[in-house]
Amino acid sequence: MRVLILCTGNSCRSQMAHGFLQSFSRDFEVHSAGTKPAERVNPKAIEVMKEVGIDLSSHRPKNVEIYLNDEWDYVITVCGGANESCPIFIGKVGKRLHIGFDDPSDAMGTDELSFKYKLSRAKLKKKVCQSEAYLHKKLKIFYLKIYFSMIFATRLALSLQLPLLLIP
């Protein structure tokens, strides 16, 4: 299942969500991007994710334009407040989800900064966990549909006395 997580700068929220979702399941191919990507991933985002065992140090902000021609099962936007516009993805998308989060990078002072990033991390983890469960449910339904389609096709072929195509 292919998932793209979008935000404006691709330096904080989308990177944190990317890290969480990728850590939950190898069944997902996760990417993140922004409409106006920053030069680097926010160091505080890297720090607070490292505290929970997720390494974002090799992540780099990317422009959404590199993904416009790709097909996605899900595109998830994570932009928050009214003073920020979430990107509208125009590529081939199965389902769009919006999970808005306020940007913690506007915090002032060491204590407030740490608190806001850790709060954002906790909120992102909760929402991404809910999204991951939702995506897994959809993936299971997809596989069940394939399984029952194969059973139906096999029974139909047998009833019509057609040769079965066996795939090794």
Side-chain angles (χ1 to χ4, degrees):
M1 184 170 295
R2 299 191 76 222
V3 179
L4 177 63
I5 303 171
L6 295 179
C7 200
T8 304
N10 189 222
S11 65
C12 186
R13 293 164 291 177
S14 53
Q15 293 287 352
M16 293 168 77
H18 178 164
F20 274 129
L21 191 56
Q22 193 69 70
S23 75
F24 293 149
S25 177
R26 297 271 181 218
D27 292 335
F28 301 133
E29 178 186 341
V30 183
H31 297 270
S32 61
T35 54
K36 297 175 186 170
E39 291 183 24
R40 64 188 175 126
V41 176
N42 188 303
K44 195 65 178 174
I46 293 171
E47 179 185 320
V48 299
M49 292 302 285
K50 189 175 185 177
E51 290 174 3
V52 294
I54 297 173
D55 183 12
L56 299 181
S57 63
S58 65
H59 287 215
R60 300 289 173 257
K62 297 178 191 85
N63 195 305
V64 68
E65 291 178 4
I66 66 173
Y67 297 118
L68 289 179
N69 294 320
D70 296 348
E71 290 189 32
W72 299 97
D73 296 300
Y74 289 88
V75 171
I76 303 171
T77 54
V78 292
C79 295
N83 45 341
E84 185 173 25
S85 61
C86 282
I88 297 172
F89 188 78
I90 57 172
K92 299 169 191 141
V93 179
K95 188 106 173 163
R96 288 178 174 85
L97 299 173
H98 177 73
I99 307 168
F101 292 94
D102 291 331
D103 190 352
S105 64
D106 64 354
M108 302 292 206
T110 308
D111 291 339
E112 183 185 359
L113 189 67
S114 288
F115 174 76
K116 278 203 162 185
Y117 273 88
K118 289 177 181 182
L119 181 62
S120 290
R121 179 187 66 200
K123 287 179 178 180
L124 275 163
K125 182 176 182 181
K126 180 181 177 186
K127 289 291 188 178
V128 170
C129 281
Q130 291 169 347
S131 297
E132 186 261 345
Y134 172 79
L135 295 175
H136 263 296
K137 180 180 173 185
K138 293 293 184 184
L139 190 61
K140 285 179 186 176
I141 290 169
F142 174 73
Y143 286 135
L144 282 173
K145 285 180 181 178
I146 291 173
Y147 174 74
F148 286 117
S149 295
M150 291 173 65
I151 290 174
F152 175 77
T154 302
R155 287 188 176 175
L156 180 63
L158 289 173
S159 70
L160 297 174
Q161 297 180 345
L162 297 172
L164 291 176
L165 174 65
L166 300 177
I167 300 172

